[in-house]
Structures are given as structure tokens and as C-alpha cells.
Amino acid sequence: MFLLVILGLLFFIIKQLRSEKERKERIQDELVKAEEAARKHKAYLTESIQIISKGVLEEQCGITEGCIRLKVLIENIAPHLLQHAELKVIQLMFDKTSHIPLLDDWKALSSLEKDKFLAEMSEVEKIYKSDVQSAAHFLLQYPFNQTQQ
């Protein structure tokens, strides 16, 4: 009888150990998947920042649109960068144009309203164009892929 109790307890302990091992393996697999997803997301953000920065420099992307997109991307990968002296212009441009409607709201504007906003954007872009281009150069050189930012 005593032997059966011991065997029962041994069976229970082995079952618990296997269950714990499987749980740890599942957690490790999930961690590896999460790390891979984070790495891919960071690579996507980095590539997007580089593409938009090049677009701004090559005048394939408007200064205002570029700053709006860059601000959002930088906030998602390294928000502290927006405080860097070289990049403060991106936040500044964003702030100066944040009242301008986007996407469907832009489409809903009359031609007169669009012209007013376009003139406003043009004035702001003239003032900050060289600073935004410097920021774009900075971003193209920034080592986003290093672990410490």
C-alpha cells in the first residue's frame, strides 16, 4: 500500500514537472516571437524614416508632409530624438501645421480653403526648409540599429 502511494506521488510529481517544462518552453517560444516581431517593427520604422528623409531631400515629399510622417515614426522608435537639437524642427513644423486637415478632412475642403492652407504651408516651409533638410541628413546617418539609442 505504501509503495502505491509513493508511486502515485512520483507519477504526480513527474506529470507536474513535465507540465512546468512545457509551460516554460511555450513562454520562451512566445518571447522569441515577440522579440522577432519587435525587431521587424524597428526595421520597418527605420526604413520608413530613411525613405521619407530621402524623399524630403530629393523633393519627392513635401516638407510639411515629411515632418508629420517623420514625427510619428520617430515617436514610435526613439521619442527622445525629437528633443535632439538637429531634429527639433520636425516637432516645430508639426506644431505649426497640426491645425491643417488631413486625408478625408482635406478632401472635404473647398478649393478656397485648400489654397489658404497651401499658402500657409508654403510660408512655413520656406522658413524651415534648410533646417528640415539638415534633420533629414541627420536621420539618414543616425544609427537606429544600435541597441542603445
Side-chain angles (χ1 to χ4, degrees):
M1 179 72 178
F2 184 68
L3 187 58
L4 285 176
V5 171
I6 291 173
L7 286 174
L9 288 173
L10 183 61
F11 176 75
F12 177 76
I13 291 170
I14 290 172
K15 185 177 175 185
Q16 289 297 104
L17 289 173
R18 282 185 185 153
S19 177
E20 181 64 18
K21 181 181 176 188
E22 290 171 1
R23 187 185 71 77
K24 285 181 179 179
E25 288 173 353
R26 275 194 315 273
I27 290 170
Q28 183 61 33
D29 288 346
E30 290 172 11
L31 181 61
V32 168
K33 288 177 185 176
E35 288 171 347
E36 178 64 15
R39 187 194 61 73
K40 286 181 178 180
H41 185 65
K42 183 176 180 178
Y44 168 79
L45 293 172
T46 300
E47 182 181 12
S48 296
I49 288 170
Q50 291 172 342
I51 289 169
I52 293 168
S53 295
K54 287 178 186 174
V56 166
L57 291 171
E58 296 170 0
E59 297 184 2
Q60 295 174 346
C61 175
I63 301 286
T64 301
E65 179 184 357
C67 287
I68 291 168
R69 291 174 183 257
L70 288 169
K71 179 190 181 292
V72 172
L73 291 166
I74 293 167
E75 282 180 336
N76 282 280
I77 194 169
H80 66 279
L81 275 181
L82 290 171
Q83 299 306 312
H84 192 285
E86 197 73 33
L87 299 180
K88 284 188 177 186
V89 68
I90 291 173
Q91 180 69 51
L92 180 67
M93 284 288 296
F94 183 88
D95 293 342
K96 288 189 174 287
T97 59
S98 63
H99 65 283
I100 298 173
L102 302 171
L103 305 171
D104 290 336
D105 293 335
W106 176 263
K107 290 177 186 175
L109 295 175
S110 69
S111 295
L112 186 62
E113 291 170 316
K114 286 179 185 178
D115 289 344
K116 177 186 163 225
F117 285 127
L118 288 171
E120 185 179 342
M121 285 190 300
S122 180
E123 285 301 311
V124 174
E125 289 176 0
K126 284 179 195 174
I127 295 168
Y128 297 106
K129 181 178 181 176
S130 65
D131 291 336
V132 172
Q133 289 174 332
S134 293
H137 280 293
F138 176 88
L139 288 169
L140 287 172
Q141 302 301 314
Y142 190 79
F144 286 102
N145 293 325
Q146 290 182 354
T147 53
Q148 295 274 327
Q149 294 177 357

